[in-house]
Amino acid sequence: HTMRQQNSTALLKEATKTLATLKDSGKAKGYDIVFLTRADEKEAVAVIRESFSGSPTTEPEQAFDWALGPDLRGRFDDPTRQAFFDWYMRWVFVSCTRYGYMIGARDTATGELLACTGVLPPGRAHIADTTSFL
């Protein structure tokens, strides 16, 4: 367990150094690369939700859309669909900020979160195992 923690800590330090070199890489394109924290949860969950749930102008992630069944397929404004994605993507965000990290791209002019991704270091894959949900 201690070796795994040391590896995760070393990986986080390496990622932090790498992120520092990337931080300004998007400035010319109008965004900053940032680490997200629990303070960013609400905004990040909304971005992740739309990415996976889809919207009238963007395709949903097809496996989730299929798994939700015909009653919710393509019904982006349905409260049940939104509640599912809010809950699930909050779990993803909290898992990644607690056991790994979330990286985001923020608009340099407005500060709006444009995109984000979660990362779990090696040895933490069990965090993403959702088979117990079934």
Side-chain angles (χ1 to χ4, degrees), residues 51-74:
S51 177
F52 281 82
S53 177
S55 72
T57 58
T58 60
E59 286 289 319
E61 195 283 327
Q62 296 298 308
F64 276 108
D65 205 42
W66 173 83
L68 288 172
D71 291 343
L72 294 175
R73 193 168 297 130

PDB file of all heavy atoms in Angstrom, residues 51-74:
ATOM      1  N   SER A  51     -21.127  16.765 -21.844  1.00  0.00           N
ATOM      2  CA  SER A  51     -20.276  15.981 -22.724  1.00  0.00           C
ATOM      3  C   SER A  51     -20.795  14.547 -22.871  1.00  0.00           C
ATOM      4  O   SER A  51     -20.817  14.004 -23.973  1.00  0.00           O
ATOM      5  CB  SER A  51     -18.849  15.963 -22.175  1.00  0.00           C
ATOM      6  OG  SER A  51     -18.024  15.159 -22.974  1.00  0.00           O
ATOM      7  N   PHE A  52     -21.216  13.943 -21.771  1.00  0.00           N
ATOM      8  CA  PHE A  52     -21.674  12.557 -21.812  1.00  0.00           C
ATOM      9  C   PHE A  52     -23.155  12.428 -22.132  1.00  0.00           C
ATOM     10  O   PHE A  52     -23.566  11.516 -22.831  1.00  0.00           O
ATOM     11  CB  PHE A  52     -21.344  11.839 -20.501  1.00  0.00           C
ATOM     12  CG  PHE A  52     -19.919  11.408 -20.419  1.00  0.00           C
ATOM     13  CD1 PHE A  52     -18.930  12.304 -20.041  1.00  0.00           C
ATOM     14  CD2 PHE A  52     -19.549  10.117 -20.747  1.00  0.00           C
ATOM     15  CE1 PHE A  52     -17.606  11.925 -19.996  1.00  0.00           C
ATOM     16  CE2 PHE A  52     -18.223   9.721 -20.703  1.00  0.00           C
ATOM     17  CZ  PHE A  52     -17.245  10.624 -20.322  1.00  0.00           C
ATOM     18  N   SER A  53     -23.966  13.333 -21.614  1.00  0.00           N
ATOM     19  CA  SER A  53     -25.412  13.262 -21.835  1.00  0.00           C
ATOM     20  C   SER A  53     -25.798  13.756 -23.218  1.00  0.00           C
ATOM     21  O   SER A  53     -26.783  13.305 -23.787  1.00  0.00           O
ATOM     22  CB  SER A  53     -26.149  14.090 -20.776  1.00  0.00           C
ATOM     23  OG  SER A  53     -27.537  14.084 -21.019  1.00  0.00           O
ATOM     24  N   GLY A  54     -25.006  14.693 -23.749  1.00  0.00           N
ATOM     25  CA  GLY A  54     -25.345  15.297 -25.031  1.00  0.00           C
ATOM     26  C   GLY A  54     -26.275  16.479 -24.831  1.00  0.00           C
ATOM     27  O   GLY A  54     -26.647  16.829 -23.709  1.00  0.00           O
ATOM     28  N   SER A  55     -26.624  17.089 -25.929  1.00  0.00           N
ATOM     29  CA  SER A  55     -27.527  18.244 -25.914  1.00  0.00           C
ATOM     30  C   SER A  55     -28.210  18.286 -27.277  1.00  0.00           C
ATOM     31  O   SER A  55     -27.881  17.497 -28.154  1.00  0.00           O
ATOM     32  CB  SER A  55     -26.730  19.528 -25.670  1.00  0.00           C
ATOM     33  OG  SER A  55     -25.980  19.867 -26.814  1.00  0.00           O
ATOM     34  N   PRO A  56     -29.140  19.204 -27.466  1.00  0.00           N
ATOM     35  CA  PRO A  56     -29.772  19.290 -28.786  1.00  0.00           C
ATOM     36  C   PRO A  56     -28.771  19.544 -29.924  1.00  0.00           C
ATOM     37  O   PRO A  56     -29.048  19.241 -31.072  1.00  0.00           O
ATOM     38  CB  PRO A  56     -30.740  20.460 -28.636  1.00  0.00           C
ATOM     39  CG  PRO A  56     -31.082  20.465 -27.177  1.00  0.00           C
ATOM     40  CD  PRO A  56     -29.795  20.079 -26.498  1.00  0.00           C
ATOM     41  N   THR A  57     -27.572  20.069 -29.586  1.00  0.00           N
ATOM     42  CA  THR A  57     -26.594  20.358 -30.640  1.00  0.00           C
ATOM     43  C   THR A  57     -25.357  19.459 -30.604  1.00  0.00           C
ATOM     44  O   THR A  57     -24.500  19.574 -31.468  1.00  0.00           O
ATOM     45  CB  THR A  57     -26.132  21.829 -30.550  1.00  0.00           C
ATOM     46  OG1 THR A  57     -25.564  22.057 -29.256  1.00  0.00           O
ATOM     47  CG2 THR A  57     -27.290  22.774 -30.793  1.00  0.00           C
ATOM     48  N   THR A  58     -25.236  18.586 -29.589  1.00  0.00           N
ATOM     49  CA  THR A  58     -24.084  17.680 -29.502  1.00  0.00           C
ATOM     50  C   THR A  58     -24.553  16.259 -29.261  1.00  0.00           C
ATOM     51  O   THR A  58     -25.536  16.027 -28.552  1.00  0.00           O
ATOM     52  CB  THR A  58     -23.120  18.081 -28.367  1.00  0.00           C
ATOM     53  OG1 THR A  58     -23.818  18.031 -27.120  1.00  0.00           O
ATOM     54  CG2 THR A  58     -22.556  19.477 -28.583  1.00  0.00           C
ATOM     55  N   GLU A  59     -23.837  15.313 -29.839  1.00  0.00           N
ATOM     56  CA  GLU A  59     -24.165  13.897 -29.666  1.00  0.00           C
ATOM     57  C   GLU A  59     -23.844  13.446 -28.243  1.00  0.00           C
ATOM     58  O   GLU A  59     -22.835  13.872 -27.669  1.00  0.00           O
ATOM     59  CB  GLU A  59     -23.345  13.045 -30.646  1.00  0.00           C
ATOM     60  CG  GLU A  59     -23.816  13.121 -32.072  1.00  0.00           C
ATOM     61  CD  GLU A  59     -25.142  12.408 -32.277  1.00  0.00           C
ATOM     62  OE1 GLU A  59     -25.343  11.314 -31.723  1.00  0.00           O
ATOM     63  OE2 GLU A  59     -25.980  12.958 -32.995  1.00  0.00           O
ATOM     64  N   PRO A  60     -24.656  12.556 -27.673  1.00  0.00           N
ATOM     65  CA  PRO A  60     -24.331  11.989 -26.362  1.00  0.00           C
ATOM     66  C   PRO A  60     -23.274  10.898 -26.517  1.00  0.00           C
ATOM     67  O   PRO A  60     -23.007  10.424 -27.620  1.00  0.00           O
ATOM     68  CB  PRO A  60     -25.662  11.384 -25.915  1.00  0.00           C
ATOM     69  CG  PRO A  60     -26.319  10.999 -27.199  1.00  0.00           C
ATOM     70  CD  PRO A  60     -25.927  12.065 -28.190  1.00  0.00           C
ATOM     71  N   GLU A  61     -22.698  10.493 -25.401  1.00  0.00           N
ATOM     72  CA  GLU A  61     -21.840   9.310 -25.386  1.00  0.00           C
ATOM     73  C   GLU A  61     -22.778   8.135 -25.611  1.00  0.00           C
ATOM     74  O   GLU A  61     -23.729   7.941 -24.860  1.00  0.00           O
ATOM     75  CB  GLU A  61     -21.095   9.228 -24.052  1.00  0.00           C
ATOM     76  CG  GLU A  61     -19.926   8.272 -24.038  1.00  0.00           C
ATOM     77  CD  GLU A  61     -20.336   6.814 -23.933  1.00  0.00           C
ATOM     78  OE1 GLU A  61     -21.352   6.526 -23.282  1.00  0.00           O
ATOM     79  OE2 GLU A  61     -19.633   5.969 -24.494  1.00  0.00           O
ATOM     80  N   GLN A  62     -22.541   7.368 -26.648  1.00  0.00           N
ATOM     81  CA  GLN A  62     -23.507   6.387 -27.128  1.00  0.00           C
ATOM     82  C   GLN A  62     -23.793   5.241 -26.147  1.00  0.00           C
ATOM     83  O   GLN A  62     -24.926   4.775 -26.064  1.00  0.00           O
ATOM     84  CB  GLN A  62     -23.060   5.826 -28.482  1.00  0.00           C
ATOM     85  CG  GLN A  62     -23.031   6.877 -29.585  1.00  0.00           C
ATOM     86  CD  GLN A  62     -24.396   7.474 -29.845  1.00  0.00           C
ATOM     87  OE1 GLN A  62     -25.381   6.775 -30.054  1.00  0.00           O
ATOM     88  NE2 GLN A  62     -24.460   8.803 -29.823  1.00  0.00           N
ATOM     89  N   ALA A  63     -22.799   4.784 -25.407  1.00  0.00           N
ATOM     90  CA  ALA A  63     -23.046   3.682 -24.463  1.00  0.00           C
ATOM     91  C   ALA A  63     -23.993   4.121 -23.349  1.00  0.00           C
ATOM     92  O   ALA A  63     -24.898   3.372 -22.962  1.00  0.00           O
ATOM     93  CB  ALA A  63     -21.731   3.166 -23.881  1.00  0.00           C
ATOM     94  N   PHE A  64     -23.794   5.323 -22.817  1.00  0.00           N
ATOM     95  CA  PHE A  64     -24.703   5.831 -21.791  1.00  0.00           C
ATOM     96  C   PHE A  64     -26.104   6.025 -22.370  1.00  0.00           C
ATOM     97  O   PHE A  64     -27.097   5.682 -21.735  1.00  0.00           O
ATOM     98  CB  PHE A  64     -24.219   7.167 -21.220  1.00  0.00           C
ATOM     99  CG  PHE A  64     -23.208   7.036 -20.115  1.00  0.00           C
ATOM    100  CD1 PHE A  64     -21.883   7.366 -20.329  1.00  0.00           C
ATOM    101  CD2 PHE A  64     -23.588   6.607 -18.857  1.00  0.00           C
ATOM    102  CE1 PHE A  64     -20.955   7.260 -19.312  1.00  0.00           C
ATOM    103  CE2 PHE A  64     -22.671   6.500 -17.829  1.00  0.00           C
ATOM    104  CZ  PHE A  64     -21.344   6.823 -18.062  1.00  0.00           C
ATOM    105  N   ASP A  65     -26.180   6.598 -23.559  1.00  0.00           N
ATOM    106  CA  ASP A  65     -27.478   6.842 -24.180  1.00  0.00           C
ATOM    107  C   ASP A  65     -28.234   5.526 -24.359  1.00  0.00           C
ATOM    108  O   ASP A  65     -29.424   5.440 -24.073  1.00  0.00           O
ATOM    109  CB  ASP A  65     -27.287   7.551 -25.521  1.00  0.00           C
ATOM    110  CG  ASP A  65     -28.490   8.371 -25.938  1.00  0.00           C
ATOM    111  OD1 ASP A  65     -29.075   9.048 -25.074  1.00  0.00           O
ATOM    112  OD2 ASP A  65     -28.828   8.340 -27.135  1.00  0.00           O
ATOM    113  N   TRP A  66     -27.530   4.496 -24.806  1.00  0.00           N
ATOM    114  CA  TRP A  66     -28.139   3.172 -24.986  1.00  0.00           C
ATOM    115  C   TRP A  66     -28.563   2.587 -23.638  1.00  0.00           C
ATOM    116  O   TRP A  66     -29.671   2.071 -23.490  1.00  0.00           O
ATOM    117  CB  TRP A  66     -27.152   2.229 -25.685  1.00  0.00           C
ATOM    118  CG  TRP A  66     -27.640   0.830 -25.750  1.00  0.00           C
ATOM    119  CD1 TRP A  66     -28.488   0.285 -26.672  1.00  0.00           C
ATOM    120  CD2 TRP A  66     -27.328  -0.223 -24.837  1.00  0.00           C
ATOM    121  NE1 TRP A  66     -28.721  -1.030 -26.393  1.00  0.00           N
ATOM    122  CE2 TRP A  66     -28.023  -1.375 -25.265  1.00  0.00           C
ATOM    123  CE3 TRP A  66     -26.525  -0.308 -23.696  1.00  0.00           C
ATOM    124  CZ2 TRP A  66     -27.935  -2.582 -24.593  1.00  0.00           C
ATOM    125  CZ3 TRP A  66     -26.452  -1.512 -23.035  1.00  0.00           C
ATOM    126  CH2 TRP A  66     -27.149  -2.629 -23.479  1.00  0.00           C
ATOM    127  N   ALA A  67     -27.678   2.683 -22.634  1.00  0.00           N
ATOM    128  CA  ALA A  67     -27.945   2.076 -21.322  1.00  0.00           C
ATOM    129  C   ALA A  67     -29.148   2.723 -20.632  1.00  0.00           C
ATOM    130  O   ALA A  67     -29.847   2.061 -19.863  1.00  0.00           O
ATOM    131  CB  ALA A  67     -26.708   2.185 -20.427  1.00  0.00           C
ATOM    132  N   LEU A  68     -29.407   3.981 -20.897  1.00  0.00           N
ATOM    133  CA  LEU A  68     -30.550   4.653 -20.277  1.00  0.00           C
ATOM    134  C   LEU A  68     -31.878   4.180 -20.861  1.00  0.00           C
ATOM    135  O   LEU A  68     -32.933   4.430 -20.278  1.00  0.00           O
ATOM    136  CB  LEU A  68     -30.418   6.169 -20.424  1.00  0.00           C
ATOM    137  CG  LEU A  68     -29.341   6.793 -19.542  1.00  0.00           C
ATOM    138  CD1 LEU A  68     -29.146   8.257 -19.891  1.00  0.00           C
ATOM    139  CD2 LEU A  68     -29.676   6.645 -18.065  1.00  0.00           C
ATOM    140  N   GLY A  69     -31.820   3.506 -21.985  1.00  0.00           N
ATOM    141  CA  GLY A  69     -33.029   2.906 -22.559  1.00  0.00           C
ATOM    142  C   GLY A  69     -33.839   3.865 -23.411  1.00  0.00           C
ATOM    143  O   GLY A  69     -33.601   5.069 -23.435  1.00  0.00           O
ATOM    144  N   PRO A  70     -34.836   3.304 -24.085  1.00  0.00           N
ATOM    145  CA  PRO A  70     -35.610   4.090 -25.055  1.00  0.00           C
ATOM    146  C   PRO A  70     -36.417   5.234 -24.437  1.00  0.00           C
ATOM    147  O   PRO A  70     -36.668   6.227 -25.112  1.00  0.00           O
ATOM    148  CB  PRO A  70     -36.524   3.054 -25.711  1.00  0.00           C
ATOM    149  CG  PRO A  70     -36.571   1.899 -24.765  1.00  0.00           C
ATOM    150  CD  PRO A  70     -35.265   1.907 -24.025  1.00  0.00           C
ATOM    151  N   ASP A  71     -36.807   5.122 -23.176  1.00  0.00           N
ATOM    152  CA  ASP A  71     -37.597   6.193 -22.563  1.00  0.00           C
ATOM    153  C   ASP A  71     -36.792   7.470 -22.336  1.00  0.00           C
ATOM    154  O   ASP A  71     -37.363   8.563 -22.267  1.00  0.00           O
ATOM    155  CB  ASP A  71     -38.192   5.736 -21.226  1.00  0.00           C
ATOM    156  CG  ASP A  71     -39.277   4.685 -21.413  1.00  0.00           C
ATOM    157  OD1 ASP A  71     -39.800   4.547 -22.544  1.00  0.00           O
ATOM    158  OD2 ASP A  71     -39.594   4.005 -20.422  1.00  0.00           O
ATOM    159  N   LEU A  72     -35.464   7.346 -22.200  1.00  0.00           N
ATOM    160  CA  LEU A  72     -34.624   8.521 -21.937  1.00  0.00           C
ATOM    161  C   LEU A  72     -33.671   8.836 -23.084  1.00  0.00           C
ATOM    162  O   LEU A  72     -33.020   9.877 -23.069  1.00  0.00           O
ATOM    163  CB  LEU A  72     -33.826   8.323 -20.652  1.00  0.00           C
ATOM    164  CG  LEU A  72     -34.655   8.265 -19.373  1.00  0.00           C
ATOM    165  CD1 LEU A  72     -33.777   7.948 -18.175  1.00  0.00           C
ATOM    166  CD2 LEU A  72     -35.405   9.569 -19.163  1.00  0.00           C
ATOM    167  N   ARG A  73     -33.589   7.946 -24.061  1.00  0.00           N
ATOM    168  CA  ARG A  73     -32.661   8.144 -25.175  1.00  0.00           C
ATOM    169  C   ARG A  73     -32.979   9.449 -25.909  1.00  0.00           C
ATOM    170  O   ARG A  73     -34.091   9.679 -26.353  1.00  0.00           O
ATOM    171  CB  ARG A  73     -32.747   6.963 -26.136  1.00  0.00           C
ATOM    172  CG  ARG A  73     -31.606   6.946 -27.142  1.00  0.00           C
ATOM    173  CD  ARG A  73     -31.515   5.642 -27.898  1.00  0.00           C
ATOM    174  NE  ARG A  73     -31.231   4.559 -26.960  1.00  0.00           N
ATOM    175  CZ  ARG A  73     -31.922   3.408 -26.896  1.00  0.00           C
ATOM    176  NH1 ARG A  73     -32.916   3.184 -27.726  1.00  0.00           N
ATOM    177  NH2 ARG A  73     -31.606   2.488 -26.030  1.00  0.00           N
ATOM    178  N   GLY A  74     -31.970  10.321 -25.985  1.00  0.00           N
ATOM    179  CA  GLY A  74     -32.111  11.563 -26.727  1.00  0.00           C
ATOM    180  C   GLY A  74     -32.966  12.629 -26.055  1.00  0.00           C
ATOM    181  O   GLY A  74     -33.162  13.702 -26.605  1.00  0.00           O
TER     182      GLY A  74
END
